[in-house]
Amino acid sequence: MTAGIWLSLALAALIGEFLSGTFYLLVFSLAFAVTAVATFLGAGLALQLVVASISAISGVALLRRYRKRISPKIQAQVNDPDLGQKVEVRHIGTDRQARVQYRGTTWDAELLDPTLVEGQHAYIVGRDGNRLIVDTTPMEESA
């Protein structure tokens, strides 16, 4: 295959990424572009296919690892009306775990600020399932 074919595949994957927004097609676009460079440098067809495969598999693995690390906290926070709301710390346990008073009941919470004490107010800055993540300062609003 020629470098032009690999670059055409990269462009097609990039256009598909713009339409889907998943980042997986961006990984394939980059893999195709890397393969185009290898082709330009004189790699044979077998080496081109190996470069494309390794680039794509490595990129997808890195993307999945990154998404797994940030996904629960980021996706749960999208359009969450509880963010920024004030809570009262009722009980502090071990490993930054606590019980807080919010909306007329107690909730499990994770304390980001280790200086929080019982009776002090904190603000919801995130969620992990039904567990609130609280800090001493409210989450900054992005413009």
Side-chain angles (χ1 to χ4, degrees):
M1 295 176 77
T2 67
I5 293 172
W6 287 111
L7 287 175
S8 297
L9 289 171
L11 182 61
L14 187 61
I15 291 169
E17 175 58 40
F18 288 143
L19 298 174
S20 71
T22 63
F23 289 105
Y24 287 102
L25 289 174
L26 180 62
V27 167
F28 282 97
S29 179
L30 290 172
F32 294 147
V34 167
T35 306
V37 170
T39 303
F40 181 74
L41 295 175
L45 181 60
L47 185 57
Q48 292 174 30
L49 296 175
V50 169
V51 168
S53 299
I54 290 173
S55 299
I57 290 170
S58 299
V60 168
L62 288 171
L63 182 61
R64 291 189 73 196
R65 182 175 163 191
Y66 174 75
R67 283 189 164 206
K68 185 179 279 188
R69 186 171 47 108
I70 69 161
S71 183
K73 292 184 177 167
I74 298 299
Q75 289 181 356
Q77 293 177 17
V78 176
N79 297 324
D80 188 344
D82 295 325
L83 292 180
Q85 298 298 316
K86 187 187 276 189
V87 298
E88 181 184 345
V89 178
R90 289 293 177 107
H91 174 74
I92 298 177
T94 59
D95 284 340
R96 301 184 325 193
Q97 301 304 310
R99 296 288 288 172
V100 297
Q101 181 74 23
Y102 176 60
R103 287 196 285 177
T105 189
T106 56
W107 295 66
D108 288 327
E110 177 183 340
L111 305 176
L112 293 182
D113 186 347
T115 64
L116 276 167
V117 295
E118 292 178 9
Q120 188 175 1
H121 284 84
Y123 298 91
I124 300 171
V125 296
R127 280 183 179 265
D128 186 9
N130 282 335
R131 187 177 51 159
L132 302 175
I133 300 171
V134 300
D135 200 1
T136 52
T137 57
M139 194 168 92
E140 293 183 21
E141 302 256 344
S142 58

